[in-house]
Amino acid sequence: MIVEVCANSYQSAVNAEEAGADRIELCTELAVGGITPSFGLIKKVSEKLCIPIHVLIRPRSGDFTYSRDEYQIMKTNIALCADLGISGIVSGILHSDGTLDKTRTGELISAAGDLQFTFHRAFDWVIDPVKTLLELEDLGVDCILTSGGGQSAEEAINKLVLWKEKAKKCVIMPGGGIREHNALFFKNKGFEAIHLSGLKFSKTLEKKPELSMNNASYLRDDEIALTDPEIVRALIQSVK
């Protein structure tokens, strides 16, 4: 069984390899489902690790429906990963109605070339998982990362097993709530790969700051926060 660790930092990546992980998915900001790590982080990790590195290509948090400019950013980041010798790409694009954007996802796969391509947990939002699975196989996706549409992969095991049986070429990789106490459960169900973060929080400050830099009001699945030009224009007019 392949054990893939979702590494959210340089140190997490190093720790994963030292612990015996088969490969990592490198990303940042797991609290919002992960976004693309910086070029500097990708380069540093690629210089240090010997195991395969897959990089998440997701330009922002929120949904998986991207503008033309965001799409171009994604393709640029794939090219940068290829130049750095990264082993795989983790990405995917949906339409706003919950169907697969076959055209642009296919173009991302083509941009990845010989790199492995994993379709990420956007799969858990699609309205017809079996149809989407077959579409992804036709596009040449190597792996699908999914929790089975549940809060944890274990509670959605029946769906995961069904999708594994439907898949002819694509590896179904359970992810979500997998830890040391239940990993063997997935191996016994016949899965070839599992995905986990293995996170443990460590104190870095002597005391917790009174002012938090986290803001839960930004965490929305069906909306994205964008700078409003009218707000900025009005402010500038007031001070200029």
Side-chain angles (χ1 to χ4, degrees), residues 121 123-124 129 145-161 163 172-176:
R121 287 193 57 197
F123 189 81
D124 291 319
L145 170 62
T146 171
S147 68
Q151 289 298 313
S152 73
E154 188 170 4
E155 72 179 34
I157 190 62
N158 291 337
K159 287 183 179 179
L160 289 167
V161 170
W163 299 343
I172 300 298
M173 180 168 59

Side-chain angles (χ1 to χ4, degrees), residues 57 59 68-78 80:
I57 303 298
R68 181 174 60 182
D69 291 330
E70 288 171 331
Y71 175 56
Q72 292 300 322
I73 290 169
M74 295 169 79
K75 292 202 290 187
T76 297
N77 282 329
I78 289 175
L80 290 172

